Amino acid sequence: MKTRYSYGGDEHIFVECDEEMSLEAFFKSLSMATAIKKAKIKGVTEICPANASMQVKFDPDVIKPADMLKELKAIEKAAAKAKPVIKSRIIEIPVLYNDPWTHETLMRFRERHQDPKSTDIEYTARINNLDGVDGFIKAHSGAPWFVSMVGFVAGLPFLYQMVDRKRQIQSPKYLRPRTDTPKLTVGHGGCFGCIYSVRGAGGYQMFGITPVPIYDPNQKIKHLKDFMCLFRPGDIVKWKPIDRAEYDATVAAVEKGKFNLKMKDVTFDLSEFKKDMDGYNAKLMGALNGR
């Protein structure tokens, strides 16, 4: 698809890299957003990257909309020549699948679900032809996920599974949104995973919960002292299945300021990834353990 530009009033330009999500579209959006930031164009006040698009806010008294559009098209042309390589981080996020809190919540809202007689994991496993709950957990945690954007509510990451399309987990949102979702729920809607950063309404399938806070506006939590939101676009998430004992121990460690988030700086090369996805993923996940 050819990149599509559209104006949003006098001070926004929306840039659509593709109509559907892919790592190629994400890389194009991210590389353009990075290039716009580095260019320091006078009048640009905000850059908001998304899954396969972005929006640029600017001051029309400083730069005219038509001139802003010319700048963006020039940046797109230059970004197309850049190698698809980014500096990233791989972060291990423990998950208690089938936890009691999301289970209690999903049971309260079964009349809003496609299959009121099963749980969200059981339903998603069945429609993806996975071998029950255990097969689902293996598929969900067996490969890393890209953080393609952060937003909707503060600190909430959208996650895109790093496997070929036919193996990506797909699951529709609830027929009608819930009025409640536990904080730190690991959810899924369409092809995207997420972590609910705060308690509130939601429509994604609920698979489990993580004991690791990802948003702290007061910045008192150890791994969130530098910035209130854990994730940024381009991060890579590795899910780690845990049991209730490890969940409780992690919650206690976080509260005491003794929890150490497992994270490693990595370089991600899209071209190399596409040559051998499983092999490349194994190297990324191995980096967490110094391999």
Side-chain angles (χ1 to χ4, degrees), residues 10-29:
D10 293 330
E11 55 185 27
H12 295 89
I13 292 181
F14 179 67
V15 185
E16 186 178 14
C17 299
D18 206 334
E19 291 181 343
E20 61 180 25
M21 174 60 191
S22 67
L23 287 178
E24 291 83 0
F26 164 73
F27 263 74
K28 184 175 182 179
S29 172

Side-chain angles (χ1 to χ4, degrees), residues 10-290:
D10 293 330
E11 55 185 27
H12 295 89
I13 292 181
F14 179 67
V15 185
E16 186 178 14
C17 299
D18 206 334
E19 291 181 343
E20 61 180 25
M21 174 60 191
S22 67
L23 287 178
E24 291 83 0
F26 164 73
F27 263 74
K28 184 175 182 179
S29 172
L30 185 63
S31 63
M32 284 188 67
T34 302
I36 293 165
K37 185 177 181 179
K38 288 182 178 179
K40 296 182 179 179
I41 303 167
K42 289 185 178 180
V44 172
T45 58
E46 190 174 356
I47 307 163
C48 183
N51 297 318
S53 62
M54 65 175 171
Q55 185 161 281
V56 180
K57 184 178 181 181
F58 58 94
D59 184 345
D61 292 329
V62 177
I63 182 170
K64 295 179 180 179
D67 292 335
M68 186 72 246
L69 181 59
K70 289 180 182 178
E71 293 277 3
L72 294 180
K73 288 186 175 181
I75 285 173
E76 179 196 357
K77 188 175 181 180
K81 299 177 183 178
K83 292 183 179 180
V85 178
I86 60 170
K87 296 292 184 181
S88 182
R89 307 177 298 175
I90 184 165
I91 306 170
E92 184 176 85
I93 300 296
V95 185
L96 176 60
Y97 291 95
N98 264 341
D99 66 282
W101 305 283
T102 60
H103 180 77
E104 185 276 332
T105 303
L106 68 86
M107 293 306 293
R108 279 193 283 125
F109 292 97
R110 290 331 280 166
E111 82 283 357
R112 305 184 184 209
H113 195 272
Q114 290 85 352
D115 186 357
K117 295 182 179 180
S118 67
T119 65
D120 293 4
I121 283 187
E122 291 169 343
Y123 167 72
T124 302
R126 188 176 72 252
I127 65 173
N128 284 274
N129 298 311
L130 299 171
D131 186 16
V133 172
D134 290 342
F136 170 84
I137 293 173
K138 182 178 180 180
H140 189 264
S141 63
W145 298 62
F146 244 110
V147 177
S148 57
M149 65 174 282
V150 179
F152 185 67
V153 296
L156 184 151
F158 284 80
L159 303 155
Y160 186 76
Q161 195 174 19
M162 295 167 59
V163 294
D164 57 274
R165 187 157 298 228
K166 65 182 180 180
R167 290 164 55 198
Q168 286 179 344
I169 295 171
Q170 304 275 344
S171 194
K173 294 188 288 186
Y174 276 42
L175 298 174
R176 289 186 294 128
R178 300 177 303 274
T179 56
D180 189 23
T181 307
K183 179 181 177 180
L184 298 178
T185 290
V186 174
H188 196 97
C191 69
F192 288 107
C194 81
I195 303 173
Y196 284 78
S197 54
V198 297
R199 182 178 183 179
Y204 277 19
Q205 307 287 333
M206 296 184 290
F207 299 150
I209 201 164
T210 177
V212 178
I214 63 171
Y215 171 63
D216 177 19
N218 297 314
Q219 294 179 246
K220 293 182 178 180
I221 295 171
K222 182 179 177 181
H223 60 272
L224 296 171
K225 288 187 179 296
D226 292 335
F227 190 61
M228 66 180 70
C229 300
L230 173 59
F231 297 109
R232 59 196 185 207
D235 281 343
I236 299 168
V237 170
K238 169 65 177 76
W239 304 116
K240 177 191 175 185
I242 59 173
D243 59 18
R244 178 62 187 269
E246 186 170 352
Y247 174 88
D248 291 341
T250 303
V251 169
V254 170
E255 291 176 348
K256 294 176 182 178
K258 295 182 178 181
F259 174 71
N260 294 312
L261 183 69
K262 202 168 186 179
M263 179 169 61
K264 185 81 171 180
D265 291 334
V266 294
T267 298
F268 182 81
D269 186 321
L270 180 61
S271 298
E272 292 300 313
F273 169 76
K274 291 168 68 176
K275 290 177 183 177
D276 178 13
M277 292 185 184
D278 290 340
Y280 199 88
N281 284 340
K283 290 180 181 178
L284 284 172
M285 293 185 290
L288 280 169
N289 299 311

